[in-house]
């Protein structure tokens, strides 16, 4: 027996020796000037092909054999930092890197930079530095990260001025938009013309539109993960801007230097104040107006190198008031989001990082109208409470394992109507409030098998349950209620669930070229139902129920990724095909009816989309920018619509082109331009007109049979940074922008104008186009001290 044990020990001795001579280096990567942790910074080791990237909180871990190594930490917009380390035990190594803008001259590091877009297994991922977003021309001078994202291939907007996103043939509800881990259900101000995200409060923007990792779920098309700044833990800082329609102000600084910090950022438009002088007190519309505001706040405290606590929140509102004194009519329409996120980071050991997150978010829309002694109120919204646990495990070099789970409690208010006339109050038996539980667990491994092959494999299991209080009514053929089944609070009504496998493979042809392929299955349990061509606050969120099944998609993608001239030019060509089941539309001829549950008017079908995306990005030099082109098709097919035949989706756009250029003329001036071109939106229009019983009647075409004229626009911007006065503590810049520089009359919608009398043969009907925005110049003054 002893002999067998001795032989076994001899055979295993190389593994024990190897294990004893392997050590782990871990730590955090931070901005040296303000202490902000850096997401996705790269740690490379000279002479080694395998490196690692920092996670969402700036943490990294890498295991190597005993020896002396040269570590290179790099991040976009920052000076690479090089440290030589003798590794003879487990080490903690924090990197404080310096922004390039703070350097008087650029320092060149000869070690070649690892190229993430070629080396990573992830497909369809874009990370946009907030400074780059601020450099791109903006509508009315208001920096908008959603409009910047619309300039990327595979992503299109909902129409003129809209901040909605349509990714690879998916609807606006198929995008998971997170603000510090809190889902955002309505991303638009001013009926979608601006997004709710204040650029002064944002640290990092990451978009994934292909091969969604297993840590994300609940949507079919994309993930937009937005991280808020943590606050400067070195010194107090104030920044803001004054524009044509809005102003903003941010304050940040240390609560306790190097240990705790805060940031508060606010923005408000003054459209109401600008229009008020033009509405006289004698006007019947006196008292009408519109404004929006939002507030971001975050505080964090570092208890030790192993523990850190974050508390962040967002609150925003749009308020629209309409007054018609002649008719004694007053209308008030407020809507908006509120989110709160509490997160605790804990480093369990050199290889295991954990994050616990509690999230509250609430979106609501209210319509209130009063006329004489009659009042009516319509309310809809969605409220969530979530608890999530994530772990990052770095078992050994080449593997980064992520696993965890999430539970969410949903409360849906599709539409609730109340009213009052004199002393009589009425509460109609209208759409019911719905409740649901949603949960998921996941496991994913980012595994670099060798120099050529890298995979990102994941598996997610999601579960959704509609619960009571709830009533299911039995009706006759005329819709009259005959009987009902009553579910008590918390009682299960309907349960869904399923596996969501995710796999992406990268094969490197050489140091600057790789091919990638991915397949993902996604389930979506909550849905945005719209009766319009763009995202509006009146759209309603509904859960999967005993009637409404979850949406399901399979996405297949493949691409070639190639860089040139020492990574100065990044290029990619991606092909994709997406299948979607259980798509939702309103029944033909539907008109809004708040006295019945909206799901009684849904019809269900399928969709599919396919296309190609070309991306060319110049990352270095005085001239930077990109060209993005998408050729795609998006189809829908419903048995109850369009005679059961397929039709192009309302967000189908055959050709979509974006060209973005930024040029640093000198130390004072930065110039930028953005040109967009897109095939016209699909539209359903009247084909024939009849007079029936003295009434002019329209006969419409098949669904989306026509195309509006093509959309194209050129935006320009110039940023002037005056020479800094050394006696002043503050600095400023002027941003001059022109939206729609050649005043293209892009179509917003088409209507038919009628003139004359049909009974004497003088009736004429003419199609007319409504365009919203001609050329719009704007000036914004930004300051910081």
């Amino acid at each position: 027996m002893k002999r067998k044990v001795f032989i076994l020990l001899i055979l295993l001795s190389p593994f024990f020796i190897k294990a004893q001579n392997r050590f782990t280096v871990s730590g955090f990567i931070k901005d040296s000037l303000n202490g902000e942790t850096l997401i996705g910074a790269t740690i490379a080791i000279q002479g080694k092909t395998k490196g690692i990237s920092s996670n969402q909180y700036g943490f990294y871990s890498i295991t190597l054999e005993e020896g002396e190594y040269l570590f290179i930490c790099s991040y976009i917009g920052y000076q690479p930092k090089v440290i030589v380390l003798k590794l003879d035990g487990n080490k903690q190594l924090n990197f404080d890197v310096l922004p390039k803008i703070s350097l008087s001259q650029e320092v060149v590091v000869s070690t070649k930079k690892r190229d993430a877009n070629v080396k990573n297994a992830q497909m369809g991922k874009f990370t946009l530095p907030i400074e780059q977003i601020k450099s791109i021309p903006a509508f009315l001078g208001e920096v908008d990260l959603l409009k910047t994202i619309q300039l990327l291939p595979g992503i299109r907007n909902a129409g003129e001025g809209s901040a909605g996103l349509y990714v690879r043939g998916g609807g606006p509800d198929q995008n998971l938009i997170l603000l510090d881990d809190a889902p955002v259900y309505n991303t638009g101000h001013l009926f979608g013309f601006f997004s709710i995200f204040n650029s002064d409060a944002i640290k990092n923007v990451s978009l994934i539109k292909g091969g969604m990792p297993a840590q994300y779920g609940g949507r079919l098309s994309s993930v937009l993960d937005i991280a808020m700044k943590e606050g400067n833990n070195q010194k107090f800082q104030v920044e803001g801007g004054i524009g044509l329609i809005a102003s903003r102000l941010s304050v940040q600084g240390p609560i306790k230097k190097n240990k705790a910090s805060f940031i508060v950022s606010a923005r408000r438009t003054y459209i109401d104040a600008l229009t008020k002088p033009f509405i006289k007190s004698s006007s019947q519309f006196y008292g009408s107006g519109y404004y929006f505001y939002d507030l971001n706040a975050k505080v964090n405290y570092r208890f030790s190198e192993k523990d850190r606590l974050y508390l962040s929140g967002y609150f925003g509102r749009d308020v629209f008031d309409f007054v018609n004194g002649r008719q004694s009519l007053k209308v008030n329409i407020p809507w908006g989001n509120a989110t709160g996120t509490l997160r605790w980071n804990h480093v369990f050991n050199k290889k295991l990082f954990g994050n616990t997150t509690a999230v509250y978010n609430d979106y609501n829309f209210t319509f209130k109208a009063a006329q004489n002694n009659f009042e009516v109120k319509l309310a809809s919204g969605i409220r969530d409470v979530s608890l999530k646990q994530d772990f990052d495990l770095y078992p050994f070099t080449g593997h980064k394992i992520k696993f965890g789970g999430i539970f969410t409690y949903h409360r849906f208010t599709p539409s609730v109507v109340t009213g009052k006339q004199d002393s009589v109050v009425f509460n109609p038996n209208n759409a019911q409030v719905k409740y649901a539980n949603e949960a998921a667990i996941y496991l994913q491994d980012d595994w670099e098998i060798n120099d050529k092959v890298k995979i990102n494999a994941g598996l997610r299991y999601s579960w959704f349950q509609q619960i009571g209080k709830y009533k299911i009514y039995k009706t006759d053929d005329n819709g009259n209620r005959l009987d009902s089944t009553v579910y008590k609070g918390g009682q299960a009504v309907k349960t869904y669930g399923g596996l969501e496998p995710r796999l992406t493979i990268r094969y490197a042809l050489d140091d600057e070229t790789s091919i990638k392929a991915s397949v993902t299955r996604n389930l979506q349990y909550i849905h945005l139902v719209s009766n319009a061509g763009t995202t509006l606050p009146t759209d309603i969120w509904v859960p999967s129920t005993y009637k409404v099944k979850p949406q399901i998609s399979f996405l297949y993608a493949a691409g070639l990724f190639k860089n040139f001239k020492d990574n100065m030019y990044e290029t990619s060509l991606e092909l994709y095909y997406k299948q979607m089941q259980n798509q939702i539309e309103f029944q033909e001829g539907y008109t809004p009816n708040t006295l019945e549950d909206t799901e009684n008017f849904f019809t269900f079908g399928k969709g599919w989309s396919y296309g190609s995306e070309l991306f060319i990005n110049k990352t270095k030099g005085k001239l930077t920018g990109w060209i993005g082109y998408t050729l795609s098709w998006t189809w829908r097919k419903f048995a109850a619509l369009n005679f059961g035949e397929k039709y192009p989706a309302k967000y189908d756009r055959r050709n979509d082109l974006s060209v973005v250029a930024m040029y640093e003329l000198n130390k004072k001036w930065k110039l930028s331009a953005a040109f967009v071109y897109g095939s016209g939106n699909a539209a359903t229009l009247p084909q024939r007109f009849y007079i029936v019983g003295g009434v002019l009647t329209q006969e419409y075409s098949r669904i989306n049979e026509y195309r509006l004229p093509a959309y194209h626009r050129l935006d320009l911007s110039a940023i002037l940074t005056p020479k800094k006065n050394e006696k002043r503590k503050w600095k400023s810049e002027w941003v001059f922008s022109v939206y729609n520089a050649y005043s293209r009359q892009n179509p917003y919608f088409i209507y038919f104008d009628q003139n004359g009398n049909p009974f004497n043969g003088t009736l004429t009907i003419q199609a007319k186009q409504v365009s919203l925005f001609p050329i719009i110049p704007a000036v914004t003054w930004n300051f910081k001290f």
Side-chain angles (χ1 to χ4, degrees), residues 88-189:
D88 52 8
N90 291 333
K91 303 276 187 179
Q92 179 170 329
L93 179 62
N94 294 330
F95 285 89
D96 294 320
V97 293
L98 192 65
K100 287 182 178 179
I101 57 174
S102 65
L103 299 175
S104 58
Q105 60 182 11
E106 186 175 354
V107 179
V108 178
V109 176
S110 59
T111 303
K112 190 175 181 179
K113 172 191 168 187
R114 288 176 58 88
D115 193 345
N117 71 308
V118 171
K119 300 294 185 183
N120 288 349
Q122 184 66 58
M123 287 189 69
K125 181 175 182 179
F126 295 93
T127 300
L128 296 175
I130 196 65
E131 292 304 319
Q132 187 179 47
I133 293 174
K134 289 181 177 180
S135 299
I136 294 173
F139 176 58
L140 286 171
E142 289 299 303
V143 175
D144 196 323
L145 67 90
L146 289 189
K147 284 191 170 62
T148 301
I149 288 170
Q150 290 173 359
L151 299 172
L152 298 173
I155 302 168
R156 58 144 302 186
N157 60 17
E160 179 71 273
S162 173
L165 298 180
Y166 298 86
V167 180
R168 289 184 170 177
D173 64 324
Q174 294 179 2
N175 306 304
L176 178 61
I177 300 178
L178 301 172
L179 179 63
D180 266 7
D181 273 340
V184 179
Y185 289 107
N186 186 283
T187 59
H189 282 312

Side-chain angles (χ1 to χ4, degrees), residues 142-365:
E142 289 299 303
V143 175
D144 196 323
L145 67 90
L146 289 189
K147 284 191 170 62
T148 301
I149 288 170
Q150 290 173 359
L151 299 172
L152 298 173
I155 302 168
R156 58 144 302 186
N157 60 17
E160 179 71 273
S162 173
L165 298 180
Y166 298 86
V167 180
R168 289 184 170 177
D173 64 324
Q174 294 179 2
N175 306 304
L176 178 61
I177 300 178
L178 301 172
L179 179 63
D180 266 7
D181 273 340
V184 179
Y185 289 107
N186 186 283
T187 59
H189 282 312
L190 190 59
F191 300 98
F193 289 114
F194 300 101
S195 78
I196 66 169
F197 303 110
N198 184 350
S199 60
D200 289 346
I202 303 303
K203 174 170 73 172
N204 187 78
V205 180
S206 179
L207 173 76
I208 302 173
K209 61 182 176 66
M212 190 185 300
Q215 71 188 83
Y216 299 108
R219 301 294 189 275
L220 301 188
S221 293
S222 74
V223 176
L224 181 61
D225 200 342
I226 302 167
M228 289 172 53
K229 290 179 180 177
E230 298 160 8
N232 194 321
N233 65 13
Q234 300 297 308
K235 64 178 182 179
F236 284 94
Q237 182 178 320
V238 178
E239 63 180 315
I242 300 174
L244 289 182
I245 65 165
S247 291
R248 61 190 194 281
L249 181 68
S250 297
V251 181
Q252 58 180 310
I255 299 173
K256 188 174 182 180
K257 196 171 182 179
N258 293 319
K259 208 169 186 67
S261 60
F262 77 95
I263 181 171
V264 177
S265 186
R267 178 176 60 162
R268 191 192 190 278
T269 184
Y270 27 76
I271 298 175
D272 53 335
L274 293 175
T275 58
K276 191 173 182 179
F278 299 98
I279 304 177
K280 298 180 180 180
S281 58
S282 58
S283 170
Q284 60 176 318
F285 302 112
Y286 183 76
S288 300
Y290 166 83
Y291 63 92
F292 70 76
Y293 62 90
D294 42 40
L295 175 71
N296 297 77
K298 191 170 185 176
V299 62
N300 70 90
Y301 187 85
R302 182 170 60 86
F303 296 94
S304 66
E305 284 295 328
K306 290 188 175 182
D307 294 279
R308 193 166 186 176
L309 195 67
Y310 300 85
L311 177 62
S312 62
Y314 166 83
F315 184 81
R317 281 290 180 271
D318 289 67
V319 180
F320 175 66
D321 292 299
F322 176 76
V323 176
N324 189 328
R326 183 177 299 173
Q327 299 179 4
S328 301
L329 175 65
K330 293 183 179 180
V331 177
N332 174 245
I333 309 176
W335 71 92
N337 303 273
T339 72
T341 304
L342 178 64
R343 294 190 281 195
W344 170 46
N345 290 173
H346 179 66
V347 180
F348 290 90
N349 55 52
K350 297 287 184 182
K351 295 185 177 184
L352 182 62
F353 178 94
N355 179 65
T356 305
T357 307
V359 173
Y360 170 85
N361 64 289
D362 182 27
Y363 167 70
N364 61 75
F365 167 83

Side-chain angles (χ1 to χ4, degrees), residues 477-622:
D477 293 338
N478 296 319
N480 299 312
R481 292 174 179 175
L482 303 176
D483 196 4
S484 65
T485 303
V486 179
Y487 293 87
K488 297 179 181 179
Q491 185 178 357
V493 179
K494 184 68 177 179
T495 302
Y496 298 99
L499 289 173
E500 303 177 48
R502 319 281 175 83
L503 177 64
T504 304
I505 301 175
R506 180 224 70 193
Y507 181 80
L509 300 177
D510 55 45
D511 287 344
E512 295 186 332
T513 312
S514 67
I515 55 175
K516 303 179 187 181
S518 70
V519 57
T520 59
R521 183 178 192 257
N522 294 69
L523 295 173
Q524 180 168 329
Y525 300 103
I526 65 175
H527 324 278
L528 181 70
V529 184
S530 172
N531 202 32
T534 184
T535 306
L536 296 174
T538 50
D539 298 340
I540 58 172
W541 286 91
V542 298
S544 295
T545 66
Y546 75 104
K547 281 188 177 182
V548 181
K549 295 180 180 180
Q551 299 180 61
I552 305 173
S553 79
F554 273 97
L555 173 64
Y556 308 90
L560 173 66
F561 297 78
K562 172 72 174 175
N563 288 3
F564 300 91
K565 290 192 174 181
D566 194 27
N567 305 320
M568 177 179 289
Y569 295 95
E570 300 175 350
T571 67
S572 64
L573 176 63
E574 296 187 51
L575 307 176
Y576 71 90
Y577 179 82
K578 181 161 65 173
Q579 297 173 315
M580 294 169 281
Q581 302 174 27
N582 303 328
Q583 300 300 284
I584 303 174
E585 293 285 357
F586 280 111
Q587 296 174 1
E588 201 159 1
Y590 167 76
T591 54
N593 183 348
T594 57
L595 300 182
E596 282 197 55
D597 196 327
T598 51
E599 68 182 31
N600 294 330
F601 302 97
F602 294 162
T603 185
F604 305 95
K606 64 180 181 179
W608 63 99
S609 64
Y610 48 90
S612 60
E613 301 165 359
L614 174 66
F615 186 61
I616 303 172
N617 184 23
K618 187 175 185 293
T619 62
K620 300 177 182 178
K622 286 194 172 185

